[in-house]
């Protein structure tokens, strides 16, 4: 069920908001990186991406939804209102994008929709991927956010019909496609709701971007697509190692320190580079359940008549050829990843020591300059005289004269 090339992208003639609400792990980090780095180019084409920092829409989403997030929520206060103010002032198309918006409540959604002002045509964009890949990806994201939960326990919680655990409720809030469409698309006509499906494995590398570009009306705009920021995946031993690290560090490392040291340095910058490791997959016993659920979603979306960019069949993920259980990864498999992690931490420690030493020198120089600035005119005169032979001679004569008078 592929959309014709002319159906998805709204024409840039009226005041519009293209509101992309996820889902997570569907290329959102890359999309947001491209939009942020090219925001001046986009402005020249009448498209506003209102952000003064790369995570500006994340902070706005935290503010809208009143979420706590490792201390970042203090930076988020007022962020949504500032974003909405820019949208109201912009006469053309505005783009808002962040995946955690998928979990917003009806009340929060109403606040978001009304904040754009009157006379605005809102287009909802939801990017979706098959649950065969989404389930293990969500567990890994939990691990990268300090979780100690095993993969087996994670699967139990998301399969529990009650969905009353924190992990279960968050997972379905971010991944249950019909429910996300119900909440965010309740007041929108079907032609203003766009689903972008993530291509199946083996598709052309740029196919997802082509679908995003078409949906957001970016075709024909010369954008820098060089990736600078991403949310890379980890292999089985790397994720297992990170969960063991969490068990040791979460009691002693505060969330604001965990994010740069563990999530960024260890997970994203170090362990994600180990691409030859076994990839996380879905256990065979869970595959049938996932496929049945996905088929029911596809049938429901087809009935609603939304604009689909891609193919709804993309949501039927293929079973993994092999499954490696991260809960039982042997120590020998973890050792190479652990050595890479230790090396990265030692290099970072060395860098921080050098930075600390440089700061100490700068502080000492500043103290010395402050001391010089506070000296009296007489002290500065004496020091200037002592720097020259004639001055030292004059000072000697002066001191001898003073000595005879005391």
């Amino acid at each position: 069920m592929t959309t014709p090339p002319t159906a998805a992208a709204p024409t840039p003639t009226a005041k519009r908001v293209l509101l992309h609400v996820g889902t997570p792990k569907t290329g959102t980090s890359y999309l947001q990186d491209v939009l942020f780095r090219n925001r001046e180019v986009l402005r020249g084409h009448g498209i506003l991406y209102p952000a003064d920092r790369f995570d500006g829409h994340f902070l706005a989403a935290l503010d809208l939804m009143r979420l706590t997030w490792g201390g970042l929520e203090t930076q988020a206060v007022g962020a949504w209102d500032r974003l909405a103010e820019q949208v109201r002032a912009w006469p053309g198309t505005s783009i808002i994008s962040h995946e955690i918006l998928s979990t917003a409540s009806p009340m929060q959604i109403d606040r978001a929709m009304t904040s754009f002002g009157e006379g605005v045509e809102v287009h909802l964009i939801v990017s979706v991927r098959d649950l065969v890949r989404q389930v293990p990806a969500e567990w890994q994201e939990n691990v990268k956010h300090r979780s100690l939960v095993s993969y087996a326990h994670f699967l139990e919680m998301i399969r529990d019909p009650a969905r009353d655990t924190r992990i279960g409720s968050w997972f379905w809030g971010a991944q249950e496609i019909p429910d996300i469409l119900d909440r965010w698309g309740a007041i929108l006509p079907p032609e203003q709701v766009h689903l972008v499906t993530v291509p199946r494995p083996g598709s052309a590398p740029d196919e997802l971007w082509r679908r995003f570009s078409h949906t957001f009306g970016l075709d024909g705009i010369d954008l820098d697509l060089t990736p600078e920021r991403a949310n890379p995946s980890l292999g089985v031993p790397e994720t297992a190692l990170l969960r063991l690290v969490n068990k040791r560090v979460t009691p002693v490392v505060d969330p604001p320190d965990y994010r740069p040291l563990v999530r960024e340095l260890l997970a994203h910058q170090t362990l994600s580079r180990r691409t030859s490791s076994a990839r996380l997959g879905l256990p065979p016993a869970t595959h049938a359940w996932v496929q049945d659920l996905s088929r029911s979603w596809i049938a429901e979306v087809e009935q609603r008549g939304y604009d689909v960019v891609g193919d709804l069949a993309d949501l039927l993920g293929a079973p993994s050829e092999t499954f490696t259980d991260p809960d039982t990864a042997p120590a020998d498999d973890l050792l190479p990843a652990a050595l890479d992690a230790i090396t990265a931490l030692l290099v970072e420690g060395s860098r921080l020591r050098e930075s600390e030493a440089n700061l100490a020198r700068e502080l000492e120089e500043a103290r010395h300059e402050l001391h010089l600035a506070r000296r009296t005119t007489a002290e500065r005169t004496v020091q200037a005289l002592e720097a020259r032979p004639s001055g030292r001679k004059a000072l000697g004569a002066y001191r001898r004269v003073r000595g005879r008078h005391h």
Side-chain angles (χ1 to χ4, degrees):
M1 182 178 173
T2 305
T3 296
T6 58
T11 54
T13 57
K15 184 175 176 63
R16 289 184 173 89
V17 174
L18 307 184
L19 183 57
H20 178 224
V21 301
T23 60
K25 303 303 292 184
T26 57
T28 54
S29 295
Y30 176 67
L31 169 68
Q32 292 149 13
D33 176 54
V34 170
L35 293 172
F36 177 74
R37 288 187 295 103
N38 290 276
R39 59 196 187 280
E40 291 305 319
V41 175
L42 293 172
R43 287 176 73 97
H45 288 80
I47 300 172
L48 174 70
Y49 185 71
D52 57 3
R53 50 188 280 182
F54 75 90
D55 59 351
H57 291 198
F58 173 51
L59 296 179
L62 291 181
D63 181 46
L64 175 72
M65 300 162 65
R66 299 291 189 262
L67 292 176
T68 57
W69 205 283
L72 286 177
E73 62 275 7
T74 59
Q75 302 176 39
V77 176
W80 182 269
D81 289 338
R82 291 191 294 272
L83 180 148
E85 183 179 8
Q86 294 181 65
V87 170
R88 290 194 300 271
W90 185 254
T93 295
S94 300
I95 297 176
I96 299 171
S97 172
H98 205 275
E99 56 273 19
I100 68 168
L101 288 169
S102 59
T103 65
S105 69
M107 184 177 296
Q108 293 161 351
I109 291 168
D110 180 67
R111 178 192 167 199
M113 292 295 194
T114 57
S115 71
F116 303 140
E118 297 181 357
V120 179
E121 184 179 292
V122 177
H123 286 252
L124 178 70
I125 300 172
V126 184
S127 48
V128 294
R129 187 171 73 154
D130 63 88
L131 285 173
V132 172
R133 289 181 286 178
Q134 290 294 72
V135 169
E138 278 286 348
W139 174 69
Q140 185 179 106
E141 282 302 303
N142 274 266
V143 174
K144 289 195 292 186
H145 286 84
R146 299 168 59 93
S147 175
L148 310 180
V149 173
S150 70
Y151 193 25
H153 190 200
F154 174 84
L155 292 172
E156 290 175 3
M157 285 188 284
I158 67 170
R159 294 194 66 174
D160 181 358
R163 300 182 180 181
D164 56 0
T165 61
R166 180 187 63 82
I167 286 177
S169 62
W170 177 269
F171 177 85
W172 293 114
Q175 296 295 339
E176 189 166 24
I177 297 168
D179 179 55
I180 295 170
L181 295 169
D182 281 341
R183 283 182 280 115
W184 277 102
I187 63 172
L188 299 177
E191 62 270 20
Q192 289 174 218
V193 178
H194 312 276
L195 265 72
V196 179
T197 64
V198 174
R200 300 178 186 185
S203 300
D206 64 343
E207 178 58 23
L208 178 58
W209 172 254
R210 290 178 66 249
R211 296 179 185 185
F212 274 137
S213 178
H214 178 63
T215 309
F216 284 95
L218 307 179
D219 290 348
I221 302 177
D222 186 16
L223 301 176
D224 177 7
L225 302 180
T226 306
E228 290 190 4
R229 307 190 70 86
N231 188 6
S233 297
L234 308 181
V236 170
E238 291 77 22
T239 312
L241 173 67
L242 194 62
R243 191 166 74 89
L244 291 177
V245 169
N246 287 346
K247 290 182 178 180
R248 297 294 184 93
V249 304
T250 49
V252 294
V253 176
D254 291 333
D257 296 324
Y258 179 94
R259 183 180 178 90
L261 286 175
V262 182
R263 187 168 183 265
E264 296 299 329
L265 176 62
L266 288 191
H268 289 172
Q269 299 173 27
T270 304
L271 297 178
S272 68
R273 296 178 180 176
R274 300 178 51 80
T275 56
S276 61
S277 301
R279 299 290 97 182
L280 280 170
L282 195 66
T286 312
H287 186 77
W289 166 71
V290 160
Q291 292 295 71
D292 289 344
L293 183 59
S294 299
R295 289 189 184 94
S296 71
W297 290 357
I298 290 172
E300 193 166 347
V301 170
E302 285 177 332
Q303 291 178 355
R304 298 183 183 188
Y306 298 132
D307 173 44
V308 177
V309 185
D311 195 325
L312 286 177
D314 292 334
L315 296 179
L316 292 175
S320 304
E321 295 182 1
T322 60
F323 172 68
T324 304
D325 189 352
D327 294 343
T328 59
D332 287 349
D333 290 352
L334 271 56
L335 180 59
L339 291 174
D340 285 352
I342 292 170
T343 301
L345 288 171
L346 289 174
V347 170
E348 178 66 3
S350 176
R351 186 191 69 80
L352 291 174
R353 281 177 59 86
E354 181 180 359
S355 178
E356 183 181 17
N358 290 337
L359 289 173
R361 283 194 296 271
E362 292 174 6
L363 179 60
E364 186 58 34
E365 290 172 1
R367 286 173 174 166
H368 179 65
E369 291 175 1
L370 181 61
H371 172 71
L372 294 178
R374 287 176 173 172
R375 289 180 310 155
T376 63
T377 302
E379 288 175 324
R380 290 197 294 273
T381 302
V382 169
Q383 185 175 33
L385 290 171
E386 287 180 338
R388 305 191 305 272
S390 59
R392 289 194 294 272
K393 184 176 180 180
L395 279 174
Y398 170 75
R399 286 164 180 157
R400 287 194 296 273
V401 171
R402 287 202 61 187
R404 285 198 294 268
H405 289 281
H406 288 282

